Amino acid sequence: MTEPLVLIPGLGCDASLYGPQWPALAPGRSILVAQHDRDESLPALVARLLASAPERFALCGLSMGGYAAFEVLRQAPQRVTRLALLDTSAKPATPETNVPREQMIALAEKGAYDNVTTLLWQRLVAPARLTDEPLRLLVRAMAERIGADGFVRQQRAIMGRPDSRPGLAAITVPTLVLVGEEDVITPPAEAQDIAAGIGSHARLVTVPRCGHLSTLEAPETVTAELLAWLG
């Protein structure tokens, strides 16, 4: 049995975010997908995760999952054997970045969650994938399973995230930093900053013709990179 793997999905996503990778990653490996829609803060979310996670594990997070992965490193760095940060940022939330999140919370709370998922879709994938109906339906189905209440809790957790950049230099485990070339939510510059902050322990991968949902938009590339990262 190889080292266990913990996966943390992004905002409005669930285990299906990693569905294309599962057949390659699962054989001979224990995989835990974090419950990340039940808490309104990253510390509480991660405390819940650590209570059910193996003693030591490889850790992979996409977008919000990356924010949570940084919190894992703050709470229990000794438990992480390797780290994969996909389409994410180490920057903190700010009043400016929280404004659109507050607007989405307001929409969700007044019963317009469908409008939120429709608006988000326009920014989640590369422009060429906007007409990909099977992908859109998959993303929408994940959002529906998370639900408006779970989405609001996730947004509040994200809105309280601290600055993770001061801790980057302390990361000494093998780290994959991967980003879609056309990601407009956490652009390639964010990944470049993370990789530069970690230094020699990080490997930076930019995926061409790919937006924010790299695991679904470029499944073969991401699977290959994760397999290489896992050794």
Side-chain angles (χ1 to χ4, degrees), residues 16-65:
S16 294
L17 181 67
Y18 299 104
Q21 288 71 48
W22 202 275
L25 301 182
R29 184 184 307 278
S30 168
I31 301 180
L32 171 68
V33 180
Q35 289 284 343
H36 69 325
D37 59 349
R38 299 181 181 180
D39 303 285
E40 293 191 356
S41 75
L42 290 179
L45 185 162
V46 167
R48 181 189 299 275
L49 168 60
L50 291 172
S52 59
E55 185 57 34
R56 285 174 58 77
F57 51 86
L59 178 62
C60 173
L62 187 148
S63 193
M64 177 188 180

XYZ file of all heavy atoms in Angstrom, residues 16-65:
372
model
N -16.184 14.620 -7.545
C -16.199 14.492 -9.009
C -15.177 15.400 -9.677
O -14.818 15.181 -10.841
C -17.592 14.791 -9.553
O -18.519 13.818 -9.130
N -14.709 16.419 -8.967
C -13.657 17.283 -9.515
C -12.422 16.465 -9.866
O -11.683 16.785 -10.799
C -13.303 18.370 -8.500
C -12.237 19.384 -8.906
C -12.733 20.264 -10.051
C -11.828 20.248 -7.713
N -12.191 15.391 -9.105
C -11.033 14.524 -9.322
C -11.429 13.200 -9.979
O -10.626 12.271 -10.015
C -10.336 14.247 -7.985
C -9.807 15.491 -7.305
C -10.483 16.049 -6.211
C -8.649 16.118 -7.749
C -9.998 17.192 -5.581
C -8.161 17.258 -7.131
C -8.842 17.800 -6.037
O -8.367 18.927 -5.420
N -12.642 13.137 -10.499
C -13.123 11.906 -11.115
C -12.229 11.366 -12.214
O -11.954 10.154 -12.256
N -11.732 12.209 -13.136
C -10.880 11.683 -14.206
C -9.561 11.103 -13.702
O -8.968 10.246 -14.358
C -10.627 12.915 -15.091
C -11.777 13.827 -14.813
C -12.080 13.630 -13.353
N -9.089 11.579 -12.550
C -7.810 11.096 -12.010
C -7.971 9.825 -11.171
O -7.005 9.082 -10.972
C -7.164 12.184 -11.137
C -6.613 13.371 -11.905
C -7.667 14.273 -12.500
O -8.614 14.658 -11.821
N -7.532 14.609 -13.773
N -9.159 9.589 -10.674
C -9.385 8.521 -9.706
C -8.904 7.152 -10.180
O -8.213 6.440 -9.430
C -10.869 8.471 -9.328
C -11.138 7.805 -8.019
C -11.292 6.472 -7.799
C -11.259 8.432 -6.746
N -11.518 6.227 -6.465
C -11.503 7.416 -5.799
C -11.200 9.758 -6.313
C -11.685 7.686 -4.444
C -11.379 10.026 -4.971
C -11.609 8.994 -4.048
N -9.230 6.717 -11.411
C -8.811 5.373 -11.825
C -7.300 5.170 -11.800
O -6.827 4.055 -11.542
C -9.356 5.261 -13.255
C -10.503 6.207 -13.294
C -10.078 7.362 -12.435
N -6.549 6.224 -12.057
C -5.084 6.106 -12.055
C -4.497 6.225 -10.662
O -3.478 5.596 -10.351
C -4.474 7.164 -12.973
N -5.123 7.029 -9.799
C -4.555 7.293 -8.481
C -4.958 6.267 -7.428
O -4.221 6.030 -6.471
C -4.979 8.687 -7.991
C -4.584 9.884 -8.855
C -5.052 11.175 -8.199
C -3.084 9.935 -9.094
N -6.138 5.657 -7.589
C -6.709 4.835 -6.526
C -6.067 3.463 -6.333
O -5.997 2.986 -5.197
C -8.210 4.674 -6.751
N -5.628 2.765 -7.389
C -5.124 1.403 -7.167
C -4.000 1.350 -6.124
O -2.992 2.048 -6.243
C -4.614 0.991 -8.549
C -5.450 1.778 -9.501
C -5.640 3.102 -8.821
N -4.207 0.541 -5.087
C -3.203 0.375 -4.048
C -3.035 1.560 -3.127
O -2.073 1.632 -2.360
N -3.988 2.495 -3.175
C -3.824 3.725 -2.394
C -5.131 4.081 -1.690
O -6.211 4.014 -2.282
C -3.436 4.873 -3.322
C -3.137 6.187 -2.615
C -2.849 7.303 -3.611
N -1.815 6.944 -4.549
C -0.519 7.021 -4.299
N -0.094 7.460 -3.126
N 0.359 6.664 -5.216
N -5.033 4.477 -0.427
C -6.187 4.995 0.296
C -6.360 6.470 -0.053
O -5.407 7.248 0.020
C -5.957 4.839 1.806
O -6.921 5.563 2.532
N -7.584 6.846 -0.466
C -7.865 8.238 -0.824
C -9.008 8.761 0.020
O -10.056 8.121 0.145
C -8.211 8.380 -2.317
C -7.064 7.891 -3.208
C -8.538 9.844 -2.651
C -7.338 8.004 -4.693
N -8.800 9.921 0.608
C -9.836 10.607 1.379
C -10.148 11.928 0.687
O -9.237 12.700 0.381
C -9.356 10.878 2.803
C -10.248 11.771 3.670
C -11.561 11.081 3.998
C -9.527 12.183 4.955
N -11.423 12.180 0.430
C -11.853 13.474 -0.103
C -12.433 14.290 1.047
O -13.345 13.845 1.737
C -12.896 13.309 -1.221
C -13.317 14.678 -1.753
C -12.337 12.453 -2.361
N -11.895 15.461 1.249
C -12.285 16.288 2.404
C -13.739 16.736 2.304
O -14.226 17.074 1.221
C -11.383 17.511 2.488
N -14.418 16.760 3.440
C -15.717 17.419 3.563
C -15.427 18.904 3.805
O -15.014 19.285 4.888
C -16.491 16.820 4.740
C -16.981 15.409 4.510
C -18.199 15.371 3.586
O -18.847 16.374 3.363
N -18.474 14.202 3.046
N -15.653 19.713 2.798
C -15.224 21.117 2.901
C -16.383 22.095 2.763
O -16.186 23.266 2.433
C -14.143 21.408 1.867
C -14.622 21.411 0.436
N -15.608 20.571 -0.023
C -14.242 22.178 -0.628
C -15.827 20.814 -1.302
N -15.007 21.783 -1.681
N -17.598 21.616 3.033
C -18.770 22.482 2.896
C -19.571 22.593 4.195
O -20.711 23.038 4.188
C -19.682 21.977 1.777
C -20.183 20.551 2.013
O -19.666 19.881 2.936
O -21.081 20.104 1.280
N -18.957 22.197 5.317
C -19.689 22.167 6.589
C -19.241 23.223 7.582
O -19.855 23.367 8.638
C -19.532 20.784 7.231
C -20.078 19.653 6.375
C -19.927 18.321 7.066
N -20.437 17.231 6.246
C -20.426 15.955 6.617
N -19.933 15.622 7.806
N -20.902 15.027 5.813
N -18.167 23.940 7.272
C -17.587 24.889 8.230
C -17.445 26.264 7.604
O -17.211 26.388 6.401
C -16.224 24.386 8.705
C -16.309 23.007 9.335
O -16.787 22.921 10.481
O -15.926 22.023 8.672
N -17.519 27.293 8.432
C -17.434 28.666 7.946
C -16.056 29.279 8.125
O -15.882 30.482 7.926
C -18.487 29.536 8.639
C -19.911 29.158 8.254
C -20.931 30.178 8.716
O -20.536 31.146 9.410
O -22.115 30.017 8.370
N -15.069 28.464 8.492
C -13.699 28.959 8.585
C -12.747 27.852 8.138
O -13.043 26.666 8.289
C -13.357 29.400 10.006
O -13.142 28.274 10.841
N -11.608 28.261 7.603
C -10.603 27.274 7.200
C -10.047 26.508 8.395
O -9.850 25.291 8.297
C -9.478 27.959 6.418
C -9.835 28.462 5.022
C -8.620 29.143 4.397
C -10.327 27.341 4.125
N -9.775 27.163 9.546
C -9.289 26.376 10.691
C -10.264 25.278 11.110
O -9.843 24.151 11.412
C -9.112 27.434 11.784
C -8.803 28.683 11.035
C -9.670 28.616 9.809
N -11.553 25.572 11.125
C -12.527 24.554 11.504
C -12.614 23.457 10.449
O -12.702 22.261 10.765
C -13.901 25.199 11.714
N -12.586 23.844 9.189
C -12.622 22.877 8.092
C -11.450 21.907 8.208
O -11.610 20.681 8.081
C -12.574 23.635 6.761
C -12.700 22.918 5.428
C -13.054 23.931 4.345
C -11.420 22.182 5.027
N -10.261 22.464 8.448
C -9.058 21.631 8.498
C -9.017 20.793 9.769
O -8.550 19.644 9.747
C -7.805 22.514 8.335
C -6.537 21.750 8.705
C -7.723 23.015 6.895
N -9.499 21.318 10.870
C -9.570 20.508 12.093
C -10.450 19.284 11.857
O -10.121 18.172 12.298
C -10.108 21.338 13.248
N -11.557 19.463 11.145
C -12.438 18.340 10.798
C -11.687 17.339 9.910
O -11.771 16.134 10.103
C -13.678 18.865 10.071
C -14.681 17.780 9.689
C -15.772 18.347 8.790
N -16.536 19.406 9.414
C -17.589 19.213 10.199
N -18.006 17.969 10.439
N -18.244 20.234 10.719
N -10.961 17.866 8.922
C -10.213 17.005 8.007
C -9.151 16.199 8.747
O -9.032 14.976 8.573
C -9.569 17.868 6.926
C -8.508 17.201 6.042
C -9.087 16.020 5.297
C -7.915 18.212 5.078
N -8.373 16.867 9.590
C -7.279 16.191 10.278
C -7.780 15.125 11.247
O -7.090 14.129 11.491
C -6.421 17.214 11.022
C -5.598 18.155 10.122
C -4.947 19.248 10.952
C -4.555 17.382 9.326
N -8.979 15.305 11.766
C -9.529 14.323 12.694
C -9.825 12.996 12.019
O -9.820 11.941 12.669
C -10.792 14.872 13.344
N -10.053 13.023 10.696
C -10.396 11.792 9.981
C -9.292 11.327 9.033
O -9.384 10.234 8.471
C -11.687 11.991 9.184
O -11.552 13.046 8.250
N -8.255 12.126 8.861
C -7.195 11.804 7.911
C -6.199 10.812 8.506
O -6.070 10.697 9.731
C -6.461 13.077 7.498
N -5.478 10.090 7.635
C -4.395 9.231 8.122
C -3.329 10.053 8.857
O -3.293 11.281 8.751
C -3.838 8.615 6.834
C -4.897 8.800 5.812
C -5.630 10.046 6.176
N -2.461 9.362 9.566
C -1.436 10.070 10.342
C -0.522 10.884 9.439
O -0.150 12.010 9.768
C -0.615 9.077 11.167
C 0.392 9.733 12.089
C -0.227 10.731 13.063
O -1.369 10.513 13.502
O 0.445 11.735 13.379
N -0.155 10.304 8.285
C 0.655 11.030 7.296
C 0.074 10.783 5.918
O -0.419 9.691 5.625
C 2.131 10.604 7.370
C 2.836 11.207 8.597
C 4.247 10.698 8.786
N 5.137 10.915 7.665
C 5.714 12.075 7.345
N 5.440 13.160 8.043
N 6.539 12.159 6.336
N 0.126 11.796 5.053
C -0.559 11.691 3.773
C -0.004 12.699 2.773
O 0.541 13.745 3.137
C -2.057 11.928 3.958
C -2.393 13.200 4.719
C -2.508 14.416 4.072
C -2.578 13.163 6.102
C -2.809 15.582 4.773
C -2.878 14.319 6.823
C -2.992 15.525 6.150
N -0.149 12.351 1.494
C 0.057 13.313 0.417
C -1.194 14.175 0.325
O -2.309 13.693 0.523
C 0.306 12.587 -0.898
N -1.026 15.453 0.005
C -2.133 16.402 0.061
C -2.256 17.164 -1.248
O -1.277 17.740 -1.729
C -1.902 17.386 1.210
C -2.933 18.499 1.407
C -4.303 17.922 1.730
C -2.477 19.443 2.525
N -3.465 17.160 -1.815
C -3.716 17.853 -3.083
C -4.965 18.699 -2.951
O -6.013 18.210 -2.512
C -3.884 16.835 -4.208
S -4.399 17.547 -5.796
N -4.881 19.968 -3.331
C -6.044 20.836 -3.291
C -6.094 21.730 -4.514
O -5.064 22.193 -5.012
N -7.310 21.955 -5.014
C -7.524 22.846 -6.154
C -8.319 24.061 -5.698
O -9.358 23.932 -5.055
C -8.268 22.109 -7.272
C -8.433 22.849 -8.603
C -8.426 21.877 -9.789
C -9.703 23.702 -8.649
N -7.814 25.252 -6.012
C -8.484 26.515 -5.704
C -8.761 26.639 -4.206
O -7.825 26.702 -3.419
C -9.761 26.644 -6.532
O -10.261 27.960 -6.473
N -10.016 26.617 -3.774
C -10.304 26.630 -2.336
C -9.577 25.493 -1.633
O -9.143 25.630 -0.483
C -11.806 26.502 -2.099
C -12.183 26.435 -0.633
S -13.923 26.041 -0.373
C -13.974 26.051 1.430
N -9.429 24.364 -2.330
C -8.676 23.248 -1.761
C -7.235 23.611 -1.472
O -6.632 23.115 -0.513
